[in-house]
Structures are given as structure tokens and as C-alpha cells.
């Protein structure tokens, strides 16, 4: 992972949960930090948001240009020409981020992995291969090759959202990720929005509601 420390947004109250949110190709950890207020979470949500930076490395499809990337993208054959070794490396870095939150006193069942595009793919692969079940996985505008490798944590909530006019990761790849995961026995909450390769206000509302559900914030507040 990059030597840069992740962007971390601490809650107003002591942290009792964490969301580790991975950015997309060419972005960095600041990319989604600004959306946290738009999730409309209760003021006492207790969620620490962690936005790590991908390493800077060459990306084949972009002519070998170096940029922040969780793994190499070699061609537009996204389902078959897969940098599985690079994905594994990023997954192990995500495991370390999870362990850091556990070491801080947050139980793994109070940790959500989230990601957009490339980051969403890594969130799915890391969350479904980690030794312990997490609170859930949120995968936005992404795709999911290598589903045959998954067999753990079939009860873990998964939220997948996609843009209906996405020109980068076509909608059918997001729908295939949903269908492949469901066929493997996973429960998936699916949303599609009239947008391109981005996030939108209704999607952020749905994310906020889903986080409150899987992190049981209503129970935390009541307690």
C-alpha cells in the first residue's frame, strides 16, 4: 500500500464501528471522504471512516502510465484478463487495515468494507476471503471476476449499486456480479441508478440507510 497514511474521519462520539472505503483507479483516499456528510447518518453514529490510498503503479490499459491503482488493468476484457496476483496483494493490505481497526477495539462484525470501481472489486474479494465475517460489504459501480473462489461468509450482507449509463464498467457487469454472488448463495441488495460512473444523491441515501442497518446503529443509540 502507499506510504501515505489513510484519510481518517473520526466520529463525534467514540468510534464503535469502522468503514474502510477504497477509491477507484487514478483517484486517492480523499475521493470519497467528502461524501460522509451526505450519508445522513445520526450525529452519534460512532463510525470511523478510513479512506486508504492505493499504491502508485503502471496501468497497462493506460499505456503503462503510473497512477494510484489497486491492481493492473491489462485490457477491456475485465472478466477474463484479470490481474489476480495484484488483487491478492491489495486484499492482504486490506486485511492489515481491518486488523488495525480490530487492534483499536472495534470488533470485526462492526467493520464494513466499501469500494468504488476497482476499489469495489477489492472490497468484495477481501471481504469474502477474510478469515472472519465482517458487518458487510458495499461495492459501487464495480465488477467481480473469480467468484468461483468464494465460499466464506454467505450470511454477510452485500450492497451493490451501479449506474444504468455507466460507460466505464457497463451495467451488465454489475448485474453479473450480483447474479454470480446470488448463485453462490450470497444475499445481495441491488440498486441501479440513472447515472454514469459516479455516485448520486439517492445512492448516498441508500448507502446511509444500509450502513445504519448492518451496523445496527439504532440499537447502538438505544443502548
Amino acid at each position: 500500500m502507499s506510504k501515505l497514511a489513510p484519510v481518517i474521519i473520526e466520529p463525534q462520539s467514540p468510534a464503535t464501528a469502522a468503514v474502510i472505503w477504497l477509491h477507484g483507479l487514478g483517484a486517492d483516499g480523499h475521493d470519497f471522504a467528502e461524501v460522509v456528510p451526505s450519508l445522513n447518518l445520526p450525529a452519534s453514529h460512532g463510525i470511523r471512516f478510513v479512506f486508504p490510498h492505493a499504491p502508485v503503479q503502471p496501468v497497462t490499459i493506460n499505456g503503462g502510465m503510473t497512477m494510484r491503482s489497486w491492481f493492473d488493468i491489462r485490457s477491456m476484457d475485465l472478466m477474463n484478463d484479470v490481474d489476480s496476483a495484484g488483487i491478492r496483494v491489495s486484499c492482504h493490505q486490506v486485511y492489515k487495515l481491518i486488523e488495525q481497526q480490530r487492534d483499536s477495539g472495534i470488533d470485526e462484525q462492526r467493520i464494513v468494507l466499501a469500494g468504488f470501481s476497482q476499489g469495489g472489486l477489492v472490497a468484495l474479494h477481501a471481504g469474502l476471503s477474510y478469515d472472519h465475517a465482517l458487518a458487510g460489504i458495499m461495492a459501487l459501480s464495480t465488477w467481480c471476476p473469480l467468484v468461483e473462489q468464494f465460499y466464506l461468509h454467505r450470511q454477510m450482507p452485500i450492497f451493490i449499486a451501479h449506474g444504468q449509463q455507466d460507460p466505464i464498467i457497463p451495467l451488465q457487469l454489475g448485474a453479473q456480479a450480483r447474479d454470480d454472488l446470488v448463485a453462490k448463495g450470497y444475499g445481495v441488495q441491488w440498486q441501479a441508478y440513472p447515472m454514469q460512473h459516479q455516485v448520486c444523491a439517492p445512492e448516498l441515501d441508500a448507502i446511509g440507510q444500509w450502513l445504519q442497518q448492518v451496523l445496527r446503529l439504532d440499537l447502538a443509540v438505544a443502548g
Side-chain angles (χ1 to χ4, degrees), residues 6-223:
V7 177
I8 298 178
I9 300 178
E10 294 285 357
Q12 295 178 13
S13 55
T16 59
V19 174
I20 301 170
W21 196 322
L22 311 180
H23 62 76
L25 177 66
D28 62 24
H30 296 278
D31 196 36
F32 282 94
E34 63 184 23
V35 309
V36 172
S38 301
L39 300 177
N40 297 316
L41 297 169
S44 58
H45 59 72
I47 302 173
R48 174 184 294 131
F49 285 87
V50 180
F51 300 95
H53 307 280
V56 175
Q57 55 187 325
V59 177
T60 301
I61 200 170
N62 288 340
M65 183 183 302
T66 58
M67 60 187 65
R68 293 202 178 278
S69 177
W70 298 109
F71 53 89
D72 192 19
I73 298 181
R74 297 189 288 237
S75 73
M76 287 307 297
D77 187 4
L78 296 176
M79 293 300 294
N80 298 300
D81 192 2
V82 181
D83 178 17
S84 56
I87 293 170
R88 283 196 299 273
V89 169
S90 285
C91 285
H92 282 281
Q93 298 300 332
V94 172
Y95 302 156
K96 292 179 182 178
L97 291 170
I98 296 171
E99 294 300 325
Q100 289 172 8
Q101 295 308 308
R102 294 183 67 193
D103 290 345
S104 78
I106 296 176
D107 187 89
E108 63 267 9
Q109 293 187 2
R110 302 278 295 156
I111 298 173
V112 167
L113 281 187
F116 176 83
S117 194
Q118 253 203 345
L121 186 155
V122 173
L124 284 167
H125 281 258
L128 296 178
S129 60
Y130 186 60
D131 288 340
H132 305 280
L134 305 174
I137 303 170
M138 180 177 73
L140 311 177
S141 302
T142 193
W143 73 110
C144 190
L146 311 176
V147 173
E148 66 276 2
Q149 298 179 359
F150 302 150
Y151 62 93
L152 298 173
H153 316 315
R154 287 192 172 91
Q155 302 305 313
M156 194 185 331
I158 300 174
F159 178 91
I160 299 179
H162 215 100
Q164 294 167 339
Q165 292 92 41
D166 191 330
I168 308 298
I169 310 296
L171 176 65
Q172 59 262 33
L173 288 186
Q176 182 175 344
R178 172 201 64 198
D179 294 344
D180 289 348
L181 288 167
V182 169
K184 290 281 288 184
Y186 292 96
V188 177
Q189 179 176 330
W190 163 263
Q191 298 286 342
Y193 297 94
M195 63 179 184
Q196 297 189 18
H197 197 61
Q198 60 193 105
V199 294
C200 63
E203 180 182 18
L204 294 175
D205 285 340
I207 290 169
Q209 293 171 16
W210 182 80
L211 287 175
Q212 292 184 63
Q213 175 186 341
V214 299
L215 293 173
R216 304 183 302 282
L217 296 188
D218 53 342
L219 297 178
V221 171

